[in-house]
């Protein structure tokens, strides 16, 4: 929570209890703004004392005199050196307030936080809210932009499985008889847990729903806005915002299990890794590397791991997702045919597209989305297709969205009654505190 000076529109210092602080990111961001980073602050106090004594002797009749003066000066200097720590460096970064698109709502003056009760008023107030850093269109969020908001943070399910498996194995080591299992069972499971732990290479995948901000459609554009500003008439059309990304395990200042397994709410200071995600985020980043080396190896290694990612819920196929899937598959087929110079049977290609649409529309992971394109690729280019060409064209169309139908009405389209999936924004976590 930030506290603002009422007389001067600037933040005042406050107490922060850090849970996570990435020192490398803090120093890098501040150095990019002001150059040098202070390591110590020196306060110098100087005190000077002057003493003088003088006298004059003279003869009035002779018109002569003798004057004598004696002076002394003493100077003392005291120096107090205060070492700069990472917390004070973060305070300097936070007070610079450069590149920040969204501020924690509690740090904004109350007169700027009045609820807005109609979509037309919300549209008219958007420029003012952007200036006050209370709202920003999703299209204006780019890599490196900074957001600060309250988030109910927790570790990704993939990390929870690894932590739980490691803890259980440590408990059972040498005590198998207490748990009613054999040594062979432990030896069979232990290598899998070790491989999963090594895949994270010291990173902690995290995700959290924003409690202070939501996403709402204003004049056909999705906008991240402080939820407190949404009146009852417009709050029903808002969607939740979810921040996802990785944190350095060594940068946590509290026990990971206490911090990330409790579902607590913290203030997050983070940098955007790019625009809003168009497909579900997955913590298994090795898939991209293996795909560039050998797609078959990717399927063999990543697919079993992806099945362990219990954080993804089952996707519900809707007319909108089917239309998007058909758009992506049709354009992929046309682009692959033009690039490879083949002349496939149009009926076979159409049948492959029709078969792949349900799989793509209901996919919940990036691996499922990629596999949905395979039948279309085989129908267009055959079994001996150029894999590099196929991967490049599939990458161009796998996340491409059809042009949205403009909504000129101030009232956004009606949201479905079922639970709305959150809008995901991938970030790099710089600090967690309360």
């Amino acid at each position: 929570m930030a506290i603002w000076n009422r007389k001067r529109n600037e933040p005042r210092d406050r107490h922060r209890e850090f849970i996570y602080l990435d020192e490398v990111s803090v120093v890098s961001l501040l150095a990019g703004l002001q150059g040098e980073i202070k390591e110590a602050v020196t306060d110098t106090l100087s005190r000077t004392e002057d003493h003088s004594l003088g006298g004059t002797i003279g003869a009035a009749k002779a018109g002569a005199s003798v004057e004598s003066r004696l002076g002394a000066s003493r100077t003392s200097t005291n120096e107090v050196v205060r070492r700069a720590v990472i917390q004070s460096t973060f305070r300097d970064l936070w007070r610079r307030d450069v590149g920040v698109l969204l501020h924690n709502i509690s740090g904004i003056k109350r007169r700027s936080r009045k609820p807005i009760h109609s979509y037309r008023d919300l549209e008219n107030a958007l420029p003012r809210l952007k200036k006050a850093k209370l709202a920003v269109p999703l299209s204006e969020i780019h890599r490196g932009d900074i957001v600060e908001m309250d988030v109910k943070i927790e570790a990704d399910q993939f990390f929870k499985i690894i932590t739980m498996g490691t803890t259980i194995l440590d408990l059972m080591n040498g005590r198998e008889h207490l748990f009613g299992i054999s040594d062979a069972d432990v030896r069979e499971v232990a290598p899998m847990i070790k491989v999963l732990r090594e895949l994270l290479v010291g990173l902690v995948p995290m995700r959290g729903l924003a409690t202070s901000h939501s996403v709402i459609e204003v004049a056909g554009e999705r906008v991240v806005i402080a939820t407190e500003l949404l009146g009852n008439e417009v709050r029903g059309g808002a969607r939740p915002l979810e921040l996802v990304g990785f944190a350095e395990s060594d940068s946590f200042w509290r026990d990971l299990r206490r911090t990330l397994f409790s579902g607590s709410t913290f203030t997050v200071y983070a940098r955007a890794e790019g625009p809003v995600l168009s497909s579900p985020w997955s913590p298994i980043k090795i898939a991209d590397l293996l795909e560039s080396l050998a797609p078959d190896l990717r399927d063999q290694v990543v697919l079993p791991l992806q099945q362990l990612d219990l954080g993804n819920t089952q996707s519900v196929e809707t007319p909108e997702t089917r239309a998007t899937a058909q758009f992506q598959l049709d354009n992929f087929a046309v682009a692959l045919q033009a690039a490879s110079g083949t002349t496939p049977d149009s009926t076979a290609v159409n049948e492959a597209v029709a078969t792949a649409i349900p799989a793509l529309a209901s996919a919940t992971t990036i691996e499922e989305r990629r596999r949905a394109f395979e039948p279309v690729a085989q129908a267009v280019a055959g079994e001996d297709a150029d894999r590099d060409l196929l991967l490049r064209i599939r990458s161009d169309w796998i996340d491409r969205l059809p042009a949205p139908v403009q909504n000129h009405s101030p009232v956004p389209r009606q949201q479905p009654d079922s639970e709305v999936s959150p809008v995901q924004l991938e970030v790099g976590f710089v600090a967690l505190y309360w």
Side-chain angles (χ1 to χ4, degrees):
M1 180 183 69
I3 302 176
W4 285 72
N5 192 320
R6 291 182 179 272
K7 296 181 179 179
R8 297 175 300 169
N9 189 26
E10 61 181 24
R12 298 185 305 188
D13 295 334
R14 72 172 185 88
H15 293 291
R16 290 187 183 90
E17 179 70 21
F18 285 96
I19 303 301
Y20 173 87
L21 190 58
D22 187 349
E23 183 173 355
V24 175
S25 296
V26 172
V27 172
S28 176
L29 288 170
L30 187 58
L33 294 176
Q34 67 181 27
E36 72 283 350
I37 302 295
K38 62 184 180 184
E39 294 184 353
V41 179
T42 303
D43 293 331
T44 303
L45 176 63
S46 297
R47 182 180 180 182
T48 302
E49 298 179 355
D50 293 322
H51 302 278
S52 62
L53 177 65
T56 302
I57 302 175
K61 295 182 178 181
S65 64
V66 176
E67 182 177 356
S68 176
R69 288 188 176 276
L70 178 64
S73 176
R74 184 177 63 179
T75 302
S76 61
T77 302
N78 295 323
E79 289 189 353
V80 179
V81 180
R82 295 180 286 118
R83 184 172 62 91
V85 295
I86 187 59
Q87 294 96 323
S88 62
T89 305
F90 176 81
R91 186 195 65 175
D92 294 339
L93 171 65
W94 184 84
R95 297 182 69 182
R96 291 298 295 266
D97 200 32
V98 177
V100 180
L101 296 184
L102 290 171
H103 258 309
N104 183 13
I105 181 64
S106 59
I108 308 299
K109 293 182 293 186
R110 290 190 176 276
R111 66 184 181 185
S112 301
R113 294 159 51 181
K114 296 180 180 179
I116 301 174
H117 297 283
S118 71
Y119 287 98
R120 191 172 300 279
D121 291 342
L122 188 59
E123 181 179 357
N124 295 333
L126 189 57
R128 172 179 61 84
L129 298 178
K130 288 174 58 179
K131 185 177 180 180
K133 301 183 179 181
L134 289 170
V136 63
L138 283 175
S139 59
E140 297 183 10
I141 298 180
H142 305 290
R143 185 173 186 178
D145 292 331
I146 297 174
V147 297
E148 183 188 31
M149 62 183 67
D150 293 337
V151 175
K152 185 179 180 181
I153 202 77
E154 62 180 353
D156 186 83
Q157 191 74 11
F158 185 68
F159 181 81
K160 290 181 179 180
I161 292 174
I162 297 174
T163 304
M164 179 180 63
T166 302
T167 303
I168 292 177
L169 286 178
D170 291 341
L171 289 174
M172 292 189 302
N173 186 22
R175 310 178 187 91
E176 291 81 359
H177 63 283
L178 296 178
F179 296 89
I181 61 175
S182 62
D183 295 346
D185 294 333
V186 175
R187 289 194 300 269
E188 183 179 355
V189 176
M192 179 183 296
I193 298 298
K194 184 177 180 179
V195 169
L196 296 178
R197 186 172 63 247
E198 293 296 330
L199 287 176
L200 294 179
V201 292
L203 298 177
V204 180
M206 301 193 305
R207 58 175 73 233
L209 288 176
T211 59
S212 59
H213 290 73
S214 303
V215 178
I216 193 168
E217 184 178 325
V218 181
E221 185 176 29
R222 292 188 299 174
V223 176
V224 182
I225 187 172
T227 308
E228 183 179 321
L229 302 178
L230 301 179
N232 295 331
E233 294 82 353
V234 296
R235 185 171 295 191
R239 294 179 61 184
L241 174 67
E242 184 180 33
L243 300 185
V244 295
F246 293 91
E248 299 283 346
S249 59
D250 295 336
S251 297
F252 280 90
W253 292 26
R254 295 290 184 271
D255 181 72
L256 279 175
R257 288 164 291 192
R258 281 179 52 194
T259 304
L260 299 181
F261 289 17
S262 61
S264 302
T265 299
F266 303 102
T267 300
V268 170
Y269 190 93
R271 289 182 299 175
E273 294 289 350
V276 62
L277 297 178
S278 56
S279 59
W281 180 79
S282 174
I284 307 177
K285 297 303 181 182
I286 195 175
D288 299 328
L289 174 62
L290 294 179
E291 181 183 21
S292 63
L293 299 176
D296 295 337
L297 180 62
R298 179 208 70 208
D299 294 336
Q300 295 173 7
V301 175
V302 176
L303 182 57
L305 303 181
Q306 191 71 60
Q307 303 303 320
L308 295 176
D309 187 8
L310 305 180
N312 293 319
T313 57
Q314 183 66 30
S315 175
V316 178
E317 184 180 337
T318 65
E320 290 79 8
T321 58
R322 288 186 61 89
T324 301
Q326 183 171 1
F327 168 81
Q328 294 168 343
L329 294 169
D330 285 339
N331 285 276
F332 167 75
V334 172
L336 181 60
Q337 179 178 346
S340 60
T342 59
T343 56
D345 183 3
S346 59
T347 303
V349 173
N350 292 335
E351 291 178 353
V353 169
T355 303
I357 286 176
L360 183 59
S362 60
T364 59
T365 67
I366 187 61
E367 292 306 312
E368 293 176 355
R369 293 176 60 81
R370 288 166 174 163
R371 287 197 302 274
F373 283 80
E374 290 298 327
V376 180
Q378 293 182 7
V380 173
E383 296 289 345
D384 299 329
D386 186 342
R387 296 297 300 181
D388 293 336
L389 179 64
L390 188 153
L391 296 178
R392 178 175 59 82
I393 296 176
R394 186 185 66 185
S395 177
D396 292 339
W397 289 100
I398 191 170
D399 292 326
R400 192 80 63 88
L401 299 176
V405 178
Q406 294 296 327
N407 182 20
H408 300 287
S409 171
V411 181
R413 300 178 182 88
Q414 183 67 30
Q415 296 289 346
D417 295 334
S418 59
E419 184 178 356
V420 180
S421 61
V423 177
Q424 290 186 329
L425 178 66
E426 186 171 6
V427 300
F429 293 97
V430 178
L432 299 176
Y433 50 89
W434 57 46

